[in-house]
Amino acid sequence: MSVKPVKPVPSDLDIAQATELLPIVKIAEQLGLGEDDLDLYGKHKAKIHLDVLDRMKDRPLGHYVDVTAITPTPLGEGKTTTTVGLSQALGAHLGKKVVTVVRQPSMGPTFGIKGGAAGGGYSQVVPMEDFNLHLTGDIHAVTASHDLLAAAIDVRILHESSQDDEKLFNAFCPANKKGERRFSPIMLRRLKKLGIDKTNPADLTPEEKRRMFRLDIDPATITWNRVLDISDRFLRVVKIGLGPEEKGMVRETGFDISVASEIMAILALTTGVADMRERLGRIVIGTSRAGAAVTADDLGVAGALTVLMKDAIMPNLMQTVENTAAIVHAGPFANIAHGNSSIIADQIALRLVGKDGFVVTESGFGADCGMEKFMNIKCRASGLVPSAVVIVATIRALKMHGGGPKVVAGKPLAPEYTDENLGLLEKGLPNMVAHLKNALAFGVPVVIAVNRFATDTDAEIEMVRQAAVAAGAEDAVMSDHWAEGGAGAVALAKAVIAACAKPGNFRFLYPLDWDIKKKIETIATRIYGADGVDYTPEAEAKIELYTRLGFDKLPICMAKTHLSLSHNPELKGVPKGFRIPVRDIRASVGAGFLYPLCGDIRTMPGLPTRPVYYDVDLDLATGKVTGLF
């Protein structure tokens, strides 16, 4: 280990900057990769070429471990820290071949409310400054691609409004000096979609020209906002088209944060460049006035989106503070998207570690959100089968679910959380049991990781262990990886190894051929414990539309709060007697899922009164970042 733990534990940034980093080519060598397999971004990070997958396609896969959590407090319960600490224990202390696979965080929350997101204490991915900021530019590529599509939508509406069919035809298929016209390759895709079997533009009839080149987008149906990777609440709702040349084209739209883009979800769920090109082409931005879906391919822009994303599709290789390998790739939201790192990263990592190795990845939010989507969406798209699930629990969160005082970020915890209180803890245990039973429903062995805080007592930890084992967990283990690094997670690692050795019987919660409502209601009743689902007229209309358009066979990605098993963040523990309200349903056809909106889901964070950026600066004497976390 390159950093010896000290107490009190220094700041995450101090620990990260004290780490003796290995050159990234050395980390790659440990995995059997050479420099020709990498694109280097300095000494300590690199992108992994996708042809590594082709070379290792026949290699046996390692054990696939997903780290999730109980319903968290607003402070979070340490999933990333546990993910990294567990990996360090497996690799640096137990001699197993291991790769940590995690998401790349958005810069918006990094500068706004939470600081770094690379793990914490002595269980981090480093360099943490690079991890939390630009890394290798993947989020910038998503931003540029997303906004290019947004620009294509509005400029198409503008030009169609001022040109007749013949002018549109001449603009899209201009004649050369010989009077010859040609279709661009992307136009051939639209011709095929329309059932027009012609390759010479001159052969098109007036009606075919109209069908081919006039998309007739209905502005009221457009679901594609702009994005940027900064928390800017004032851009949530904006009016565009106010310039003199766009007079009469005013419409209301807005900005989301870049990681909420469907293109980010596509990056996380794609299996290769060709698949990514098809997914980008299938993105639906709205409908025509006649009710037909309008796609990025219809707009002629999907090829350009692919070009902008061609480097971003390669996963990023980094390391932990104990010099074990980490792959960082993609960062989709865990509410409107599925909240998991990329399939490509997992596929590469599972082959790199081989038959007896381990890949430890993490699902965003609690098990009712990220883990459910990991199973039903990510594993369905990848064909990969998880070996075990680790559910992170804290005494703090369990006491909150038992009726403890409200936990508020930035305010000291009440004595109920810092003093031993077995009665309060016991009342909160059903939340952990509910998540445990949900994980077991997928046929995968489960280990409970009790992420230890300094005020937790042995009696409290033992109460959690007994309840977990009684409810069907393979084991429940206290882990002190934040303060001790991998050494503090050795017992957890041994429990995970034992769980992975158990035979599994993996299964999905629902088949894709069920109708939209049946899939939604299955998740609501079986995972959340709801009595049923209520749909607004708008949601009912979307179900009818998406069924007509053939999107009803997609999996479901429920967009709800992570602070409760229900849709209401105020309902702690295991809520009963509630119904899930679905106010709208949206389609991420390129990513490959429908996402019902259960309550207000914010896709552009806002900055607090005192954002984290007040502390972030550059030490001009050393060139080091200060104050990140």
Side-chain angles (χ1 to χ4, degrees), residues 233-541:
R233 67 174 72 233
F234 287 93
L235 293 178
R236 287 172 181 165
V237 180
V238 300
K239 282 189 176 180
I240 61 171
L242 298 173
E245 295 183 6
E246 294 77 41
K247 191 175 181 180
M249 303 302 295
V250 177
R251 72 178 181 90
E252 192 174 272
T253 181
F255 278 78
D256 301 321
I257 201 156
S258 296
V259 292
S261 169
E262 182 180 347
I263 294 177
M264 179 60 86
I266 288 172
L267 178 64
L269 286 170
T270 192
T271 55
V273 176
D275 177 67
M276 182 174 72
R277 170 63 184 83
E278 294 304 314
R279 288 175 179 270
L280 291 170
R282 291 198 300 266
I283 291 172
V284 173
I285 58 88
T287 65
S288 68
R289 296 182 193 277
V294 179
T295 68
D297 262 345
D298 294 331
L299 285 157
V301 73
L305 304 184
T306 308
V307 171
L308 289 173
M309 293 293 294
K310 68 179 179 63
D311 292 334
I313 196 174
M314 293 187 288
N316 305 290
L317 181 63
M318 299 183 74
Q319 61 191 289
T320 71
V321 294
E322 297 189 31
N323 306 128
T324 60
I327 296 180
V328 182
H329 199 217
F333 255 32
N335 46 23
I336 64 166
H338 63 295
N340 285 265
S341 53
S342 79
I343 285 173
I344 285 177
D346 290 351
Q347 289 176 329
I348 289 175
L350 285 164
R351 285 167 174 79
L352 287 173
V353 300
K355 182 174 180 290
D356 298 318
F358 292 82
V359 170
V360 184
T361 190
E362 172 199 344
S363 296
F365 291 162
D368 55 318
C369 291
M371 184 207 69
E372 182 270 314
K373 296 169 184 179
F374 172 85
M375 301 294 187
N376 283 317
I377 297 175
K378 185 178 181 182
C379 290
R380 201 186 301 261
S382 68
L384 299 173
V385 175
S387 307
V389 167
V390 175
I391 299 179
V392 178
T394 62
I395 304 299
R396 174 181 71 192
L398 290 168
K399 287 179 176 178
M400 178 193 71
H401 289 296
K406 191 170 185 177
V407 176
V408 180
K411 292 186 178 181
L413 289 171
E416 287 87 342
Y417 297 108
T418 55
D419 298 339
E420 182 174 277
N421 192 325
L422 297 176
L424 189 62
L425 175 62
E426 185 175 21
K427 291 178 182 176
L429 289 172
N431 182 270
M432 177 188 70
V433 171
H435 286 292
L436 170 58
K437 290 188 179 300
N438 283 342
L440 292 172
F442 291 97
V444 180
V446 180
V447 173
I448 301 293
V450 183
N451 187 13
R452 184 161 204 168
F453 289 81
T455 56
D456 298 342
T457 68
D458 291 342
E460 289 174 329
I461 292 169
E462 178 60 18
M463 176 176 278
V464 174
R465 190 194 69 79
Q466 290 183 13
V469 173
E474 298 296 325
D475 204 346
V477 182
M478 185 278 292
S479 188
D480 200 12
H481 45 273
W482 179 78
E484 302 290 342
V490 169
L492 175 62
K494 289 179 178 178
V496 169
I497 292 170
C500 288
K502 295 284 184 74
N505 184 28
F506 178 66
R507 52 192 174 269
F508 299 120
L509 191 65
Y510 55 80
L512 293 182
D513 58 4
W514 282 2
D515 63 43
I516 294 171
K517 281 190 174 181
K518 188 173 182 180
K519 285 181 281 198
I520 292 173
E521 289 159 12
T522 298
I523 296 170
T525 57
R526 292 187 58 187
I527 300 296
Y528 310 153
D531 290 342
V533 179
D534 297 321
Y535 304 89
T536 64
E538 186 174 11
E540 293 277 9

Side-chain angles (χ1 to χ4, degrees), residues 105-116 229-231 257 259 333 605 612:
S106 166
M107 285 197 299
T110 295
F111 282 124
I113 59 172
K114 64 187 290 187
D229 197 34
I230 297 294
S231 297
I257 201 156
V259 292
F333 255 32
V612 170

